[in-house]
Amino acid sequence: MTSKNFTFTTLHLDDSVLVTLHGGIDHRAGPALDALIGGLPERLSSLVVEACDVPFMDATGMRFLLRLQRLAARRRFDLHSRGWQAQPGQLYDLAAHLQGSRAGETSPAVDEGRRQLRTHLELRSLQHRAHGARQALRTPPQ
């Protein structure tokens, strides 16, 4: 499956699935990630997510990870991942903390993770706005 800059492949081995992710995960990858989750077999013993080729992800990736974790808990299959690069790996760790805590429960690790995520998303937003401003300055008026 493909999105503008994001692709994934799946390999089914009996009742296990290996998913390999390629490219950055941002809002454009949302439909592809939804298709990935929707295409998982109903009977599944394990799911392995290979993320060596994911250089970054935003809140779309967090949402995807949390959905996978909830699905694994509900359907009772093992969920494993490997190969996370630095930035997406931090969000993966945060997703694990958030899923591990119950609603309304807080801990210093979760609070720090939420602060880091908020800071990261604010920085990404500023970078996107700065990029747009630079592009506008480069474009001659018509």
Side-chain angles (χ1 to χ4, degrees):
M1 184 69 168
T2 183
S3 175
K4 184 169 176 128
N5 296 314
F6 172 79
T7 61
F8 71 87
T9 56
T10 57
L11 177 63
H12 297 259
L13 305 164
D14 296 325
D15 59 350
S16 296
V17 174
L18 169 65
V19 175
T20 305
L21 308 176
H22 304 278
I25 301 175
D26 61 14
H27 69 280
R28 294 172 293 188
L33 295 170
D34 291 342
L36 188 159
I37 290 175
L40 291 173
E42 194 64 34
R43 298 194 66 150
L44 191 60
S45 67
S46 66
L47 174 66
V48 177
V49 178
E50 173 65 57
C52 291
D53 196 28
V54 177
F56 72 91
M57 72 177 174
D58 65 9
T60 304
M62 278 286 288
R63 182 177 151 265
F64 166 70
L65 294 172
L66 290 170
R67 286 180 63 200
L68 275 184
Q69 290 171 344
R70 289 179 186 132
L71 185 66
R74 189 172 61 251
R75 290 192 192 172
R76 295 191 170 128
F77 62 82
D78 293 328
L79 176 61
H80 307 278
S81 71
R82 62 183 187 195
W84 291 99
Q85 294 184 32
Q87 187 273 337
Q90 291 172 346
L91 292 182
Y92 178 84
D93 291 342
L94 176 60
H97 281 294
L98 292 176
Q99 185 63 24
S101 66
R102 291 180 294 211
E105 184 178 289
T106 61
S107 71
V110 170
D111 291 340
E112 176 61 15
R114 287 179 179 152
R115 186 195 64 73
Q116 288 179 5
L117 176 61
R118 190 170 37 254
T119 301
H120 170 74
L121 295 177
E122 288 169 357
L123 178 60
R124 294 287 295 170
S125 176
L126 288 172
Q127 289 170 338
H128 285 294
R129 283 187 278 186
H131 176 72
R134 284 192 302 274
Q135 291 297 95
L137 290 174
R138 290 183 191 146
T139 307
Q142 296 183 4

